[in-house]
Amino acid sequence: GLEGLEAGNNALTDLSGCFDLSNSITVQRNGTPPPPGNGLIIEAETFDKTGGFFDDSFAGGPGRGVNRADTKIDFVNAFDWAKYTVEVPADGTYSIEYLIATPSNGAQIKLFVDRFPVSIEKVPNTGSYENYISLEAKRKVRLTAGTHTFVVLASSFTFWQWNLDKIILTPEEASNRDSIVDVDTIALSVYPNPSSDIIFIQGLDVTTETQIRIYDLKGAQYIDQKLNPDNSINIQDLPRGVYFLNIINPIENKSLRFIKK
């Protein structure tokens, strides 16, 4: 066989192997073709930082956070995350596609851009960690050209989650039927508000541990705890009324108001 060939045009010199020059030679590299236009591919294993809540070293994993393999991330547990620095080539609306695999039921992937939640998708059981499928996010994202921070989060309580090969962003024409997230318009907030049982904090940096405290209008403290991995707070036992939620971490020190109904 031939050795030393690269995809594209090749000069037939400095090659080793047995071959017949009377035949034409076509060289192909297997892999994902580049997205059209100003799209980009984020290789999953090129993350800057990772973290999580579960130590999977007992099973051969890296401990807390995802494992960096040659062409993927694996050993992903519930609420593990990986952070990426991404250079977006041009302003525009982008579709989001994951090449992803899991033998688990109930796995989920959530994407944050510049700390804001952009998409959350249920990952179907593909039969094995090596049987990758293309999973397209239901929502598109509007981005400006330049540097952005992306975070992928295993966002369900299924312990063993998924393997991720890559994330593909493809520029697309937006239509009125599309669900589009504009990250520049999302602010730190509580939802649903009012609520009778569970509230969530939107806009937090999920890679940072957060302490929360809840006070009523008279200053009485009801809750002082670490925020749950899914950014949820159970307020079912609070009396009805208006409350202040204090958010404390190395990035934020902010108070939000919500109503328990």
Side-chain angles (χ1 to χ4, degrees):
L2 293 175
E3 298 176 8
L5 287 177
E6 298 293 335
N9 297 325
N10 291 267
L12 295 180
T13 59
D14 299 324
L15 301 176
S16 61
C18 298
F19 50 90
D20 182 1
L21 287 181
S22 65
N23 295 319
S24 61
I25 300 171
T26 302
V27 179
Q28 280 188 314
R29 293 284 190 199
N30 292 328
T32 303
N38 291 313
L40 62 104
I41 295 175
I42 305 167
E43 298 291 348
E45 69 277 7
T46 62
F47 61 86
D48 302 321
K49 189 177 180 182
T50 186
F53 291 85
F54 298 104
D55 186 342
D56 61 7
S57 56
F58 70 92
R64 300 183 190 277
V66 307
N67 181 62
R68 192 195 312 269
D70 288 340
T71 59
K72 63 187 176 185
I73 56 175
D74 55 13
F75 284 94
V76 182
N77 307 124
F79 300 104
D80 280 356
W81 53 265
K83 179 186 284 189
Y84 303 83
T85 300
V86 178
E87 293 294 331
V88 174
D91 295 355
T93 299
Y94 291 81
S95 64
I96 305 160
E97 178 188 358
Y98 307 98
L99 292 190
I100 198 166
T102 182
S104 300
N105 295 319
Q108 193 168 264
I109 186 168
K110 190 171 186 177
L111 175 66
F112 297 80
V113 178
D114 299 334
R115 297 170 47 198
F116 301 125
V118 168
S119 73
I120 182 167
E121 311 300 330
K122 294 179 180 178
V123 183
N125 187 326
T126 67
S128 81
Y129 281 119
E130 299 304 322
N131 186 24
Y132 287 87
I133 63 167
S134 170
L135 176 64
E136 186 168 350
K138 299 179 185 69
R139 305 168 79 182
K140 297 178 173 63
V141 60
R142 186 174 290 115
L143 297 171
T144 57
T147 304
H148 294 269
T149 299
F150 282 46
V151 174
V152 289
L153 173 72
S155 54
S156 73
F157 286 93
T158 299
F159 185 78
W160 292 108
Q161 289 273 328
W162 33 258
N163 287 3
L164 182 64
D165 180 354
K166 53 179 61 69
I167 306 166
I168 303 170
L169 299 180
T170 304
E172 294 193 358
E173 292 293 330
S175 74
N176 292 333
R177 293 175 297 175
D178 289 333
S179 178
I180 300 172
V181 179
D182 190 334
V183 297
D184 291 332
T185 65
I186 303 175
L188 194 66
S189 61
V190 174
Y191 73 97
N193 188 11
S195 176
S196 60
D197 47 16
I198 303 293
I199 58 175
F200 295 86
I201 304 175
Q202 177 174 269
L204 275 180
D205 184 345
V206 296
T207 68
T208 302
E209 189 174 275
T210 295
Q211 188 79 11
I212 57 162
R213 294 172 186 153
I214 292 179
Y215 301 87
D216 66 15
L217 291 176
K218 296 180 180 179
Q221 181 176 289
Y222 284 81
I223 293 177
D224 184 359
Q225 66 183 47
K226 289 181 181 178
L227 183 62
N228 292 331
D230 62 349
N231 288 357
S232 69
I233 307 167
N234 189 333
I235 61 169
Q236 192 169 11
D237 294 335
L238 294 181
R240 292 179 181 179
V242 178
Y243 293 87
F244 291 101
L245 167 62
N246 284 5
I247 299 167
I248 305 162
N249 63 40
I251 299 173
E252 303 281 356
N253 192 342
K254 192 168 184 177
S255 182
L256 301 174
R257 195 176 83 151
F258 71 91
I259 298 173
K260 164 66 188 299
K261 63 180 181 180

